[in-house]
Amino acid sequence: MKKKLLSMLLCTMLALPVALCAGCGEESTSTGGGNSTGGGNAQTYDIVVWVGEGTDVLTKNQIAKFNEENEWGVKFNARVEIVSESKAAGDVISTPESAADIFCFAQDQLARLVAWQRLGALNPASVEAVNLSDEGSVQATKIGDKVRAFPLTADNGYFMYYDKRVVPEEHVGSLEAIIEDCKAAKKNFSMNLTGEGGSWYAASFFYATGCKSEWQTDEDGKFTTHEDTFDSPEGIIALKGMQKLFKSGTYQASAEISDLTTAIPSAVVVSGIWSYNAAKTALGDNLGIAPLPSFNVDGKDYQLTTYLGRKLLGVTPQSDPYRALYIQKLAIYLTGEECQRQRFEAVKWGPSNSNLQADPTITTDALQALAASKTTPQGQYPTNWWAKLEIVTETVRKGTDDEATLSAALHTYSDSLAGLKD
Amino acid sequence: MNNQDTYTETEGGGQSEELAVTPEEQSEEFLSPQEEQGELLAAADKEQGGPNDYLRLSRLGKMGYKLKRFFLGIPHWFAQLGRDIWRGLRSFGLRIAACFRDIFMTFKTGSWKTRVSYLVMGFHNLFAKQWLRGLLFLLFEGVFIVYMALWGGAWLSKFGTLGTVATHTEEVLLPELGEYVERQIIGDNSFKILLYGLITIFFIAAFLYTWYLNVKQSRLLDEIERSGRKVQGSKDDLRAVVDKQFHKTLLALPVFGIVMFTILPIVFMILVAFTNYDSMHDGYVNLFTWVGLDNFNSLFAFGSEVSVAFGEILAWTLIWAFFATFSNYFLGMFVAMMINKKGIRVKKVWRTILVMTIAIPQFISLLYVSNLFAHNGIINGLLMKLGWIKSPIPFWENGTLARIMVLVINIWVGIPYLMLITTGILMNIPQDLYESAKIDGANAFQQFCKITLPYMLFVTGPYLLTSFVSNINNFNVIYLLTQGGPINPAWGDFSGAKAGETSILITWLFDITNSAADYKLASVIGIMIFVVVSVLSLVVFYIMPSNKREDDYS
């Protein structure tokens, strides 16, 4: 009997807390972000920072200096990781809970990041700091009227790295002359018009002929209106220009500097600032750097036009408002004049800061080539816009001569644009 | 324990009587080989009007006849499938009904301890001093209630909508610093709701099963108590775990692993096909929700971009799988026969040279070959230097050429495996068969067709089937060589996952997930791949010689 009583007691004891717990079933709200220790203003925050290739050590040192010098007594225990600027935005969007607190990204991703609410609006002090950059860079950080990120560089464009032994200096202005030089030397012309990310380069032909594709967003980063004139006689001229390269037999769909040393080496590689050191190593004194050439259709020259974009520094939304504020303070510091100067010295990135842009010592051959180029400011485009353009260039690459086919490809492209708006 | 086992078995026996398959039904499903041969003969006689015409057909004719019968039999097969599904559902329904009857009757006729056990699991076991069982039941109930109260209930309540409040931000003033700043308010997460909701459903199913076991155990105890027999104690239970019930102990972990890491993800993936989870609905800021059969409708909508691409890619996938399988098979066999031929010297050297392609990991050798044939690769460079070509050959840029290239390179990669497999089998074919064939005047080709090939097909039939299926999903060769390219502009872009001319379903699926993050479409295509593979497996298995009688070929 005793044991029976004991078993009943045991059951009741085990069942009681279970029953009591039944009433407390609310899901706790996550606070998100990393950890912080300490109280008041003198806090230490654990943060994750994603930066581009070659700037991780520099960024770590810059954060250490911020820890020593900042007026609020805040300390950041930062884990600095290398995540390329082209990939960072995608990662922040796809895995928001494990994303970095501060990350570098390419400007064209801004609207997408804002639409996905992966960037908070900057507070007035941050906006003031952003205004120390040139006008183009300030515009590049805005969605609607709101500034959403910090400008880091103003050098995201492309130009020509070429082998002086193959292409003489007097030919660098003409696509046709360069192609003939490449043919004669049995070498290639590397320009990524059709590969991964090729639309960024292919657009240069359209802008050369005066076409435009401008997209407007609302303050939430949603695309509302667009004006696109690619489907026009000028667009056909642009495609004919591309065709010259495709049909030459020298076209290599790539922006890799390693093309300079492959089995059939390229004599020209269209690439950007980031390839400067590799190009110098590959060609040494034979390396020439020049703006993009012009191409000739029906007796008229069209100067190829490069995008001029920016690399930006973004801050992901934070649950703790203090943490959010101090991370913005750190971002202001990392994109400030001193840090941009250090970045130029270390990796030759072109600064967005107005004072540094006016400094004659802050320049290189590559930056000069970009400065001499015909440029168009890089705006915001729907993510799939690039894929739609890639389909047009791929149609041209397939070797069609028929103007009606080219025109049909542009019509299809044009018709598909309305579907890209949110 | 013995008594309990006996009781359970009797129960099962009682049910199986109800659900027993009638002899007529059984004969429909399982034909003996003799019956099947007889059936073929009878059918052939009926169709062709002569006795035993089937036997007079050539081997090819027989195969053609069987194929014809197979396709004519498809409606019957579907009808049979329908009957099977209905029978399965009926049997399942009857089982569930039997369970409910069982539960009801136990409550009606059971002791008060059994009735309490309906609420407090394991009560009767504890009362009967079965401490271990009782505590385990009680503990499981406790864990279940705590889980449901703290988490499971919340996940389950949102499962129907997959979340209503998305993550958002609000502006706050920090008075002591005098600055405004935005803070984030975390809301629902559709992905987590779907996943944890599903886990909760699995957990509830496990709980219901355990609860049913608890009821059955209580009734059993009632019977034992009534009959005055001894109740099995905890020590006996523990002993049984490593003795009579050892199979359950061994299987517990694997079964748990399979449920968690195979069945759960598969069900999750299938459920995604019924949502709008894609790059526009991340489930965090823009929640995703149930959309019924919309995704399947868009895949099968006649003339839509995605259905055209799916059709084209499916066709190429099947062509690829067919040629990749059979080119390797016959060429591998041919190489093995060449090396085995009498008079060939240094056989081991030839075999070693071929096997070396296996020694190098595919993702290295294939990437290397891809670069070798690139527009500016070594092959084009060499040909141009020799003056044989004026401009590089577009190995990867031309769709047709790229398709031929992947098939040819696949032969290079695949032949050594087949050579190794077939060498062993070739050596096992009795030499006297060849000798007697020679005496009968058969030439080499006839010997191959009448002796080698039938023997090989018989032994390697199952291999051919698995090889065909694995080629349908041969991601490595296609993706490492071409990444599915060159892009076909006519097939659209699917949010950035462009379909290329060498894309097979699995590489397209990868791009749809990886580049376009269109998980809903990927899930639908995943299901379609399963359907295609299973249907083809059934067809191939049906016509395969290994499926037939051994006596024909041994």
Side-chain angles (χ1 to χ4, degrees):
Chain A
M1 191 60 202
K2 235 181 188 177
K3 282 189 178 171
K4 278 178 190 170
L5 267 174
L6 186 72
S7 67
M8 285 180 78
L9 209 67
L10 211 70
C11 287
T12 325
M13 276 174 69
L14 275 166
L16 252 181
V18 168
L20 287 174
C21 269
C24 51
E26 280 301 303
E27 195 196 344
S28 58
T29 320
S30 160
T31 50
N35 302 318
S36 66
T37 51
N41 288 344
Q43 289 198 325
T44 299
Y45 293 101
D46 291 338
I47 58 166
V48 177
V49 181
W50 288 350
V51 293
E53 190 82 35
T55 57
D56 51 334
V57 178
L58 178 67
T59 308
K60 211 163 174 88
N61 293 339
Q62 288 172 341
I63 294 172
K65 201 162 180 210
F66 175 83
N67 284 343
E68 287 167 19
E69 291 178 356
N70 78 82
E71 58 186 280
W72 308 275
V74 177
K75 302 263 182 266
F76 285 106
N77 183 18
R79 195 171 83 229
V80 182
E81 295 170 352
I82 295 177
V83 177
S84 76
E85 294 87 351
S86 55
K87 194 172 164 283
D91 286 358
V92 169
I93 286 170
S94 60
T95 52
E97 284 164 330
S98 56
D101 298 284
I102 297 180
F103 63 103
C104 302
F105 64 97
Q107 176 202 337
D108 61 290
Q109 300 292 322
L110 184 64
R112 193 174 160 218
L113 284 163
V114 171
W116 287 109
Q117 296 180 29
R118 301 299 197 256
L119 293 172
L122 304 195
N123 72 349
S126 300
V127 174
E128 215 170 283
V130 168
N131 285 333
L132 297 175
S133 290
D134 70 296
E135 181 52 30
S137 300
V138 175
Q139 285 307 318
T141 62
K142 281 184 180 173
I143 290 294
D145 289 333
K146 276 190 184 171
V147 175
R148 306 305 288 255
F150 300 85
L152 191 68
T153 71
D155 61 2
N156 221 19
Y158 40 88
F159 42 85
M160 271 197 320
Y161 293 101
Y162 67 96
D163 187 340
K164 284 183 190 166
R165 291 166 299 183
V166 179
V167 183
E169 210 161 317
E170 58 272 23
H171 285 179
V172 291
S174 159
L175 180 68
E176 291 79 8
I178 297 171
I179 288 174
E180 286 311 314
D181 290 335
C182 289
K183 270 187 187 169
K186 290 190 175 169
K187 294 205 171 184
N188 282 334
F189 187 120
S190 287
M191 185 169 186
N192 184 18
L193 298 175
T194 49
E196 184 80 32
S199 298
W200 193 55
Y201 297 92
S204 61
F205 281 87
F206 289 98
Y207 294 121
T209 60
C211 294
K212 60 179 174 181
S213 185
E214 289 172 359
W215 294 74
Q216 283 78 40
T217 66
D218 60 13
E219 296 229 323
D220 297 327
K222 310 253 189 228
F223 289 93
T224 48
T225 55
H226 76 280
E227 189 185 354
D228 185 291
T229 59
F230 283 18
D231 181 15
S232 60
E234 288 76 26
I236 301 275
I237 294 171
L239 296 184
K240 283 181 176 172
M242 275 185 217
Q243 226 166 24
K244 289 196 164 189
L245 193 51
F246 290 141
K247 284 188 163 180
S248 67
T250 63
Y251 170 66
Q252 178 66 35
S254 157
E256 299 293 330
I257 288 298
S258 58
D259 287 356
L260 294 168
T261 51
T262 48
I264 304 177
S266 292
V268 177
V269 178
V270 174
S271 190
I273 298 282
W274 56 93
S275 299
Y276 180 74
N277 287 338
K280 196 82 191 156
T281 312
L283 291 180
D285 291 340
N286 296 316
L287 175 70
I289 301 178
L292 295 176
S294 57
F295 64 92
N296 188 296
V297 172
D298 301 330
K300 199 174 168 196
D301 284 336
Y302 300 91
Q303 173 64 48
L304 286 172
T305 309
T306 171
Y307 274 124
L308 184 58
R310 272 83 182 165
K311 282 179 188 166
L312 305 178
L313 198 72
V315 172
T316 48
Q318 307 287 326
S319 300
D320 174 0
Y322 289 95
R323 185 184 161 90
L325 183 76
Y326 292 131
I327 288 179
Q328 282 194 32
K329 300 293 181 201
L330 176 62
I332 292 173
Y333 178 77
L334 290 176
T335 51
E337 186 174 336
E338 183 53 31
C339 285
Q340 286 203 17
R341 181 187 291 279
Q342 289 169 2
R343 219 168 274 119
F344 170 78
E345 283 161 3
V347 285
K348 300 286 179 258
W349 286 4
S352 65
N353 182 281
S354 303
N355 292 344
L356 292 178
Q357 283 181 351
D359 186 339
T361 61
I362 308 279
T363 190
T364 62
D365 302 355
L367 284 173
Q368 279 170 5
L370 198 60
S373 296
K374 187 181 167 196
T375 61
T376 184
Q378 178 153 359
Q380 298 300 322
Y381 305 94
T383 315
N384 291 341
W385 179 73
W386 306 99
K388 300 289 178 199
L389 192 55
E390 204 174 324
I391 285 183
V392 176
T393 49
E394 193 62 34
T395 311
V396 183
R397 191 194 63 79
K398 293 244 175 224
T400 177
D401 263 333
D402 181 15
E403 201 163 300
T405 313
L406 296 180
S407 182
L410 285 174
H411 283 330
T412 313
Y413 157 83
S414 183
D415 291 344
S416 68
L417 296 183
L420 299 179
K421 276 179 279 188
D422 301 294
Chain B
M1 192 65 207
N2 277 346
N3 296 328
Q4 293 175 15
D5 279 349
T6 320
Y7 182 84
T8 316
E9 276 162 22
T10 320
E11 279 296 300
Q15 285 160 13
S16 65
E17 263 172 42
E18 266 180 86
L19 309 166
V21 180
T22 61
E24 291 81 3
E25 282 171 338
Q26 198 172 26
S27 70
E28 244 178 81
E29 283 176 54
F30 307 109
L31 288 176
S32 72
Q34 287 79 8
E35 283 169 331
E36 193 190 12
Q37 182 79 2
E39 200 196 349
L40 275 172
L41 289 173
D45 287 350
K46 201 173 160 189
E47 277 180 33
Q48 297 176 14
N52 294 339
D53 272 359
Y54 173 75
L55 289 180
R56 280 203 288 275
L57 288 172
S58 66
R59 185 176 293 278
L60 208 64
K62 279 180 188 167
M63 198 176 250
Y65 180 70
K66 282 182 193 173
L67 261 178
K68 186 178 139 198
R69 268 180 57 78
F70 171 77
F71 285 112
L72 288 176
I74 285 177
H76 171 76
W77 186 71
F78 272 110
Q80 182 65 37
L81 186 72
R83 273 199 296 275
D84 285 347
I85 291 173
W86 165 243
R87 206 177 294 148
L89 285 175
R90 188 168 146 261
S91 130
F92 182 72
L94 285 173
R95 268 170 206 272
I96 297 288
C99 282
F100 276 109
R101 202 168 47 238
D102 205 20
I103 291 165
F104 177 72
M105 290 307 289
T106 307
F107 192 81
K108 205 172 160 194
T109 59
S111 67
W112 68 273
K113 289 164 280 184
T114 300
R115 289 181 190 167
V116 174
S117 291
Y118 272 60
L119 267 183
V120 184
M121 277 168 65
F123 179 80
H124 200 162
N125 298 83
L126 287 171
F127 210 84
K129 297 176 200 163
Q130 284 188 322
W131 302 111
L132 189 64
R133 285 184 196 208
L135 282 175
L136 280 177
F137 275 132
L138 195 61
L139 188 69
F140 190 67
E141 186 177 16
V143 169
F144 177 75
I145 292 174
V146 170
Y147 171 79
M148 287 306 288
L150 294 183
W151 305 286
W155 292 123
L156 210 58
S157 66
K158 292 174 183 172
F159 195 71
T161 56
L162 298 179
T164 46
V165 184
T167 296
H168 57 283
T169 52
E170 67 172 19
E171 202 171 43
V172 288
L173 173 69
L174 304 179
E176 67 273 36
L177 294 167
E179 292 202 53
Y180 279 96
V181 73
E182 247 184 20
R183 68 179 288 248
Q184 189 176 41
I185 318 276
I186 307 285
D188 290 330
N189 185 326
S190 305
F191 184 90
K192 282 187 179 171
I193 293 171
L194 185 59
L195 179 63
Y196 293 129
L198 191 63
I199 290 175
T200 306
I201 290 171
F202 272 60
F203 194 35
I204 290 174
F207 173 76
L208 288 176
Y209 180 71
T210 316
W211 181 80
Y212 179 59
L213 275 185
N214 153 65
V215 169
K216 275 170 71 171
Q217 294 260 326
S218 288
R219 187 177 59 180
L220 209 57
L221 283 172
D222 273 349
E223 294 206 350
I224 293 171
E225 281 165 3
R226 270 200 290 274
S227 66
R229 278 175 288 148
K230 187 179 173 289
V231 176
Q232 183 174 316
S234 298
K235 272 186 191 168
D236 301 318
D237 281 344
L238 280 174
R239 212 171 293 131
V241 166
V242 290
D243 189 10
K244 279 180 192 150
Q245 304 287 322
F246 192 53
H247 58 287
K248 289 183 186 164
T249 316
L250 279 183
L251 281 174
L253 198 61
V255 167
F256 179 75
I258 286 171
V259 170
M260 289 307 289
F261 301 113
T262 306
I263 296 177
L264 189 81
I266 287 176
V267 176
F268 180 82
M269 192 208 84
I270 292 170
L271 288 181
V272 167
F274 301 95
T275 69
N276 58 352
Y277 183 23
D278 57 20
S279 61
M280 299 307 290
H281 303 88
D282 65 341
Y284 189 69
V285 173
N286 294 310
L287 301 174
F288 59 81
T289 188
W290 301 108
V291 294
L293 291 171
D294 286 5
N295 301 323
F296 291 90
N297 290 342
S298 68
L299 186 66
F300 293 116
F302 186 73
S304 75
E305 222 173 38
V306 63
S307 70
V308 169
F310 178 75
E312 296 274 1
I313 293 173
L314 176 63
W316 162 243
T317 305
L318 295 178
I319 294 169
W320 149 261
F322 179 82
F323 281 106
T325 307
F326 288 100
S327 61
N328 275 354
Y329 185 70
F330 286 108
L331 289 171
M333 205 192 307
F334 180 69
V335 170
M337 282 162 62
M338 295 275 283
I339 294 176
N340 280 354
K341 208 168 170 58
K342 276 179 193 167
I344 297 282
R345 286 183 194 173
V346 285
K347 291 182 179 174
K348 281 184 184 169
V349 174
W350 300 123
R351 283 195 196 119
T352 312
I353 290 172
L354 281 164
V355 168
M356 274 166 77
T357 50
I358 299 177
I360 305 164
Q362 270 195 4
F363 78 93
I364 294 176
S365 57
L366 290 176
L367 281 177
Y368 184 75
V369 171
S370 173
N371 284 329
L372 212 64
F373 287 96
H375 189 265
N376 59 356
I378 294 172
I379 303 284
N380 272 325
L382 189 70
L383 293 176
M384 277 183 71
K385 255 186 198 147
L386 291 172
W388 292 4
I389 52 172
K390 281 190 175 164
S391 61
I393 301 169
F395 289 112
W396 302 130
E397 288 83 19
N398 179 301
T400 316
L401 205 51
R403 285 180 171 189
I404 295 170
M405 287 300 293
V406 290
L407 281 171
V408 171
I409 291 166
N410 184 57
I411 289 173
W412 170 70
V413 174
I415 276 186
Y417 289 98
L418 263 301
M419 190 265 305
L420 285 181
I421 292 169
T422 48
T423 301
I425 304 166
L426 284 171
M427 286 174 175
N428 274 333
I429 301 178
Q431 284 304 308
D432 49 355
L433 285 177
Y434 289 104
E435 281 162 19
S436 47
K438 265 183 211 163
I439 292 166
D440 288 344
N443 61 26
F445 182 70
Q446 282 170 324
Q447 284 177 32
F448 175 78
C449 290
K450 298 285 180 187
I451 302 170
T452 316
L453 192 58
Y455 195 93
M456 292 297 298
L457 280 175
F458 174 67
V459 178
T460 56
Y463 167 79
L464 263 181
L465 174 62
T466 50
S467 165
F468 186 79
V469 170
S470 66
N471 272 321
I472 286 180
N473 289 328
N474 196 338
F475 180 82
N476 272 10
V477 172
I478 300 286
Y479 206 80
L480 294 176
L481 287 176
T482 65
Q483 288 85 50
I487 291 159
N488 189 326
W491 296 349
D493 68 293
F494 313 108
S495 321
K498 293 166 290 295
E501 298 198 37
T502 57
S503 289
I504 55 174
L505 287 174
I506 195 83
T507 60
W508 192 40
L509 181 77
F510 178 78
D511 278 336
I512 288 170
T513 322
N514 206 35
S515 312
D518 196 346
Y519 305 109
K520 62 176 197 308
L521 181 62
S523 177
V524 172
I525 289 171
I527 294 171
M528 294 321 295
I529 292 178
F530 170 76
V531 171
V532 168
V533 168
S534 50
V535 166
L536 279 173
S537 302
L538 279 174
V539 172
V540 177
F541 188 72
Y542 183 84
I543 56 174
M544 210 165 52
S546 312
N547 189 30
K548 308 296 169 198
R549 283 180 302 161
E550 271 185 39
D551 329 352
D552 288 355
Y553 298 98
S554 56

